[in-house]
Amino acid sequence: MSGEVAVRRFPTLTVSTPRVHVRPLRARDAGAVSAIFADKQTQRWLPFHRELGQIDGDAWCTEMAQERRDSGNGDHYGVVRREDERLVGCLWTKRTDWGGRVTEVSYAIAPEARGFGMAAEAVDAIAVALILEHGFQRLELRVAPGNTASRRVAEKAGFTYEGLLRNAGYVHSGRVDLEVWSLVAADLH
């Protein structure tokens, strides 16, 4: 052994529910992704420092997604509404721990698609696929206190509230505590 650690590539996922498809993002999704991330309500809760500026949809859909996949850290997905094949949201996995079979899921939904349960449906679908088809043991969501819409998504997707990580994250306005929500393999059996 040369002392190198083998990097696992994050699994390519495509899952469907009656209302949405969740699939890897493509270069042609860049415009819709940029619009989702440019929304003021979305920006309020994004876990990215304000200094980074606007998220570049082209980079998010191509090289950033490829880098995350190739590093084994996660992937970037599009949430596509089946009735009109319109991209209405983004999901991304990150902080993957292959030894523990754990990953974190984040999401952003376009304003016109909010309030219809699509985020919860997409998160649930990807969580079930990761656990049942790819052997993950735990998925986490981290929610800034005050982000009640995101808390509702966690609840509707079957995640369990575990507690508060003090001063553990950031949103555009600065440092925040983070609620931790989880779904574990035993929850699906």
Side-chain angles (χ1 to χ4, degrees):
M1 231 97 176
S2 65
E4 293 181 25
V5 176
V7 174
R8 295 200 55 164
R9 194 171 200 284
F10 206 83
T12 301
L13 293 173
T14 301
V15 294
S16 293
T17 71
R19 297 187 309 153
V20 299
H21 293 294
V22 179
R23 61 160 173 76
L25 285 168
R26 303 173 185 142
R28 70 176 181 254
D29 297 324
V33 168
S34 291
I36 290 166
F37 285 134
D39 172 66
K40 288 192 184 302
Q41 184 66 16
T42 300
Q43 284 192 358
R44 178 178 179 196
W45 300 113
L46 280 177
F48 307 117
H49 291 288
R50 185 182 303 271
E51 299 83 53
L52 292 176
Q54 293 284 39
I55 291 173
D56 178 345
D58 288 321
W60 185 266
C61 294
T62 57
E63 64 258 20
M64 290 173 72
Q66 188 68 44
E67 177 188 321
R68 191 164 282 183
R69 257 189 312 276
D70 290 347
S71 71
N73 192 31
D75 204 349
H76 295 175
Y77 304 96
V79 178
V80 178
R81 187 170 46 208
R82 291 180 75 163
E83 74 180 46
D84 59 6
E85 294 301 312
R86 183 170 177 192
L87 190 130
V88 295
C90 298
L91 291 174
W92 60 101
T93 50
K94 60 184 180 181
R95 296 187 232 229
T96 301
D97 171 0
W98 287 102
R101 305 295 287 192
V102 177
T103 195
E104 181 181 337
V105 178
S106 298
Y107 43 86
I109 300 295
E112 68 276 6
R114 291 184 194 138
F116 298 103
M118 286 188 218
E121 195 170 315
V123 168
D124 180 61
I126 203 165
V128 168
L130 286 169
I131 290 172
L132 297 181
E133 296 173 24
H134 298 284
F136 279 80
Q137 294 298 304
R138 176 183 171 87
L139 274 74
E140 293 182 354
L141 295 175
R142 296 184 182 200
V143 177
N147 188 346
T148 55
S150 197
R151 184 180 302 127
R152 283 193 300 271
V153 168
E155 291 169 342
K156 288 179 181 178
F159 283 66
T160 299
Y161 176 74
E162 292 187 339
L164 190 70
L165 298 172
R166 294 178 32 203
N167 199 31
Y170 45 87
V171 293
H172 274 211
S173 61
R175 301 278 322 170
V176 294
D177 297 337
L178 290 174
E179 297 175 0
V180 176
W181 294 76
S182 70
L183 183 74
V184 299
D187 294 338
L188 300 181
H189 300 292

